[in-house]
Amino acid sequence: MDPNKKAALYFDEKCMWHSAGQYALTLPVGGWVQPPSGSGLAESPESKRRLKNLVDVSGLASHLEFRTAPMASEDDIRRIHTAEYLDRFKAVSDAGGGSLGDHAPCGPGTYEIAKLSAGLAQAALDAVLTGDIDRAYVLSRPPGHHALPDASMGFCFLANIAIAVESALARGLARKIAVVDWDVHHGNGTQSIFYGRDDVLTISIHQDLCFPPGYSGVDDRGEGAGLGFNVNVPLQPGGGHAEYLYAMETVVLPTLARFEPDLVVVASGLDANTVDPLARMQAHSETFREMTRMLLAEGDGRLVLVHEGGYSEAYVPFCGLPILEELAGVRTDVVDGELDFFRLQQPGERFQAFQRGLIDEMAAALGLTPVGVTVP
């Protein structure tokens, strides 16, 4: 990695002020659900703040440009979301909050904070596509990859990446953009928005049947002009480090090479980590480093990552820091103290062979040639 290349971290403390009331993980407090000591909601600001703090104290901050951005405009968000939904969202937010859909509680001011989260993603894409910077990480909340045009879902209110992608395409900054979603949950919102399009390739690597509950998606490949431009790679629970890299090498990278996008945008959920409370995939810090390295090696190395899920406050920072180290082209002195232990918990050869057989089947169905991979 060329250390002279410019990398930016987009962050705004106001994004951390989105609040959704009293929850215990995903359950509203009341009845048999005891109130937690803090806010309790799995999608809390702490995992993101701790990642930002680790960037600061590790010294990595001196190798990154820190940037903020204005809120996305009403015109930009209305390219993706219906007027009825946005009016309803703002009304609930202005009234102090409430439930906006399936696992989508919002609080006072969430509407404006969600617009800021989308604005940060939009600014990062613009900066990379215009050559102002080479790569960027957007550390924002609330997340966006479950948001539908007319509904909130899974802690997501506005489709941050989709808003940014559509804005860039509409202004002629790119002809084709690829979205790679490695959040452990399926990127159903992004998929639905671009399902009939051939100028946006959507790829989701996710835990099979996890969220939305019961969804796999292996046979969902787009429709109309978009047929063949949507790819789902469901992995079996417990798949671990080696299977993520195998899926990247066997399906994701060949699909990107065939599409030849002007830019790759990553929906960077860090909830595939082995101690996340909302999934069971057993990835670790080096998984995210290697996946980032793979994408940077493709094309001209221009890359934007937009933060999505990740609910282990203690471990998310150790998964996010390697990504940012790769973007900056430097290594800090930070050590993942759990890495050796997590490596011992990876699945054995028989499970790996089974999972790789499923991935090879997916690759063959997509017209890709399965390849053997030596995983670090």
Side-chain angles (χ1 to χ4, degrees), residues 261-280:
D262 298 319
L263 180 68
V264 175
V265 183
V266 176
S268 182
L270 305 181
D271 37 11
N273 78 74
T274 190
V275 290
D276 195 273
L278 297 184
R280 300 291 180 268

Side-chain angles (χ1 to χ4, degrees), residues 184 207 235-244 270-276 279-288 315 319 339 341-348 351-352:
V184 80
Q207 180 178 318
L235 301 179
Q236 297 302 299
H241 173 80
E243 304 324 306
Y244 269 92
L270 305 181
D271 37 11
N273 78 74
T274 190
V275 290
D276 195 273
R280 300 291 180 268
M281 283 310 298
Q282 297 203 101
H284 51 61
S285 56
E286 287 301 299
T287 312
F288 295 100
Y315 198 56
C319 295
L339 181 57
F341 178 62
F342 292 158
R343 280 172 167 158
L344 290 174
Q345 298 181 58
Q346 296 298 299
F351 181 86
Q352 288 186 23

